Amino acid sequence: MTDALKVYGPVAAGLLILLIITMRFIAPPPPMELRFAAGGVDGQYYALAERYADALAEHGIQVEVLETAGTVENFALLKAGDADVALLQGGIASEDDRADLLSLGGMFAEPFWVFTRASPEATMAMDFGDLKSARIAAGAIGSGTRAMTERVQSEWGGNWQPIVPLSGSAAAAALRAGEVDAAVFTASVEAKYVQDLLTAPGIQLIGMRRAKGLSMRDDALAPLVLFDGVVDMDRNIPSRDTELISAIAQLGVVDTLHPALQSVLLEAAESIHNGGTILSRANSFPDATRTDLPLSDEARRYYRNGPTFLRRYFSFGWANFLERAWVFLIPLLALLIPLVQMAPPVYRWRIRRKIYVWYNDLHELERRGFDASDDRERQSVLADIQAMQHEVGQVDVPVSYNDELYHLRSHINFVEALIARQALKTGST
């Protein structure tokens, strides 16, 4: 056991030293904390951000969900470095945003809902462009709905009434009370205030006649059709196919975000956003093509190949370590192979050396015994041989080497017998 430790111990120590050196030179591990800019605590973005936080917590990544006023503030937080990732409404990114930020793809469609009070003048043929003189509730400054409204108004051109800064349930209540003429929302079809207005008496949803044209001008916008009766077949809501424009919400990230974190965010996105709704088929999202920010290199790789080979078989932590270390593992293995191959011969040499070192002494004793000039000197040699036999008997070697040890002991006995016969011959003479 002692010999094995003396041989294999340095090998293990060498391996440890090489691993430590490797760890110092490989790429740094990803941070295990993320700041996620979401939206208001009662909004869809915040609820989705919490689902991302739960998904990443399974990999030991702590996510801080930041309450914000909406997409415009989310853009600002990302650019200022105060957030690492954010849900962003599509269609409102500026050139500066495109220069500084990256996207992991479109995650879900947020229709641009336009509701008005039903009246003889407001027929189902009304289009968004007919609302220039209307009082429109379209969210506070900094919200995605307001930014989208201003974007669409600018596309239509002309002079519009000032926007009323109400959003969500407050805007829906103001429309039903007659305090505004129209209310617009950029929200999921599952939003409660959208569901309420779709079925509310005296309220009508108007379409977006130029939805296809708008989508051709911006990849982050997509046309959608709310089909006849899809909301409520019994009550026939809506009463005809209604064409809408939708902003594709995307997952925006800072350009310095570690690729491994981008990949694990995309893994979470697949499970969170790939279900279907009454507006989109299952597996329509995430979508690499519907974004107005540049797609990150890691996202391109992920959409093309999916999770990395190692990630398919290892946990996030181990896969990330191996992916960072593989460049150094090949030369490390090249060094270890001869080192490990050398250990067994060295071990055998150390064991056999315990045995073979006695042969020099035995040969010397044999020479002294034959060259002895008197019996007293030969008796001294025989005493030394017997002492050697005793010492060899104390040598501890593995069982597999016992045959060589017993060969040595038999050779010692042979030399002892030769010297003894030499002594008898000399004495008789």
Side-chain angles (χ1 to χ4, degrees), residues 169-363:
S169 299
L175 177 63
R176 299 176 73 167
E179 297 171 2
V180 294
D181 302 314
V184 300
F185 313 92
T186 305
S188 165
V189 69
E190 288 87 4
K192 186 177 184 305
Y193 48 84
V194 171
Q195 289 289 317
D196 290 343
L197 291 177
L198 283 170
T199 57
I203 302 297
Q204 68 177 20
L205 172 69
I206 65 173
M208 187 74 67
R209 180 171 52 84
R210 297 178 177 177
K212 291 186 178 69
L214 281 171
S215 68
M216 295 301 292
R217 294 165 65 90
D218 194 328
D219 286 338
L221 301 178
L224 288 177
V225 176
L226 192 67
F227 292 106
D228 184 2
V230 72
V231 175
D232 190 323
M233 288 288 181
D234 183 45
R235 297 163 61 186
N236 194 29
I237 299 173
S239 59
R240 66 183 181 89
D241 291 353
T242 305
E243 193 165 19
L244 307 173
I245 189 70
S246 68
I248 305 300
Q250 60 193 315
L251 205 58
V253 297
V254 293
D255 57 6
T256 56
L257 187 65
H258 198 286
L261 292 181
Q262 296 183 37
S263 182
V264 78
L265 281 167
L266 284 165
E267 287 183 36
E270 283 193 329
S271 63
I272 293 172
H273 301 296
N274 67 355
T277 70
I278 62 173
L279 290 171
S280 62
R281 299 289 186 185
N283 300 316
S284 298
F285 295 98
D287 186 343
T289 64
R290 289 297 184 180
T291 172
D292 55 356
L293 292 174
L295 199 66
S296 77
D297 291 340
E298 177 60 22
R300 291 181 192 279
R301 185 209 61 76
Y302 189 92
Y303 284 114
R304 185 170 59 250
N305 302 320
T308 62
F309 173 80
L310 291 172
R311 183 66 186 92
R312 293 189 183 102
Y313 300 100
F314 294 93
S315 67
F316 171 75
W318 274 108
N320 179 258
F321 169 75
L322 294 173
E323 285 166 359
R324 290 182 294 116
W326 74 269
V327 174
F328 290 91
L329 287 178
I330 294 176
L332 185 62
L333 288 173
L335 290 174
L336 284 177
I337 289 173
L339 191 62
V340 172
Q341 287 179 335
M342 185 176 64
V346 171
Y347 177 72
R348 288 194 297 270
W349 174 81
R350 284 187 59 86
I351 297 300
R352 287 172 174 166
R353 183 177 179 277
K354 288 184 175 182
I355 300 172
Y356 294 158
V357 71
W358 297 97
Y359 277 100
N360 286 332
D361 294 340
L362 183 60
H363 181 71

Side-chain angles (χ1 to χ4, degrees), residues 1 19 78 81 112 119 154 157 166 169 200 236 264 266 284 287 304 322 325 328 345 385 400 406:
M1 184 64 179
L19 284 175
L78 285 176
F112 185 62
S119 66
S154 69
L166 294 174
S169 299
N236 194 29
V264 78
L266 284 165
S284 298
D287 186 343
R304 185 170 59 250
L322 294 173
F328 290 91
I385 291 175
S400 58
Y406 279 97

Side-chain angles (χ1 to χ4, degrees), residues 21 46 62 71 90 98 116 137 141 152 156 161 179 201 210 258 276 297 317 323-324 335 395 416 420:
I21 293 173
Y46 197 93
Q62 183 178 353
T71 290
R98 295 185 185 94
T116 66
I141 295 174
V152 176
W156 255 262
Q161 292 294 314
E179 297 171 2
R210 297 178 177 177
H258 198 286
D297 291 340
E323 285 166 359
R324 290 182 294 116
L335 290 174
V395 174
E416 182 180 17

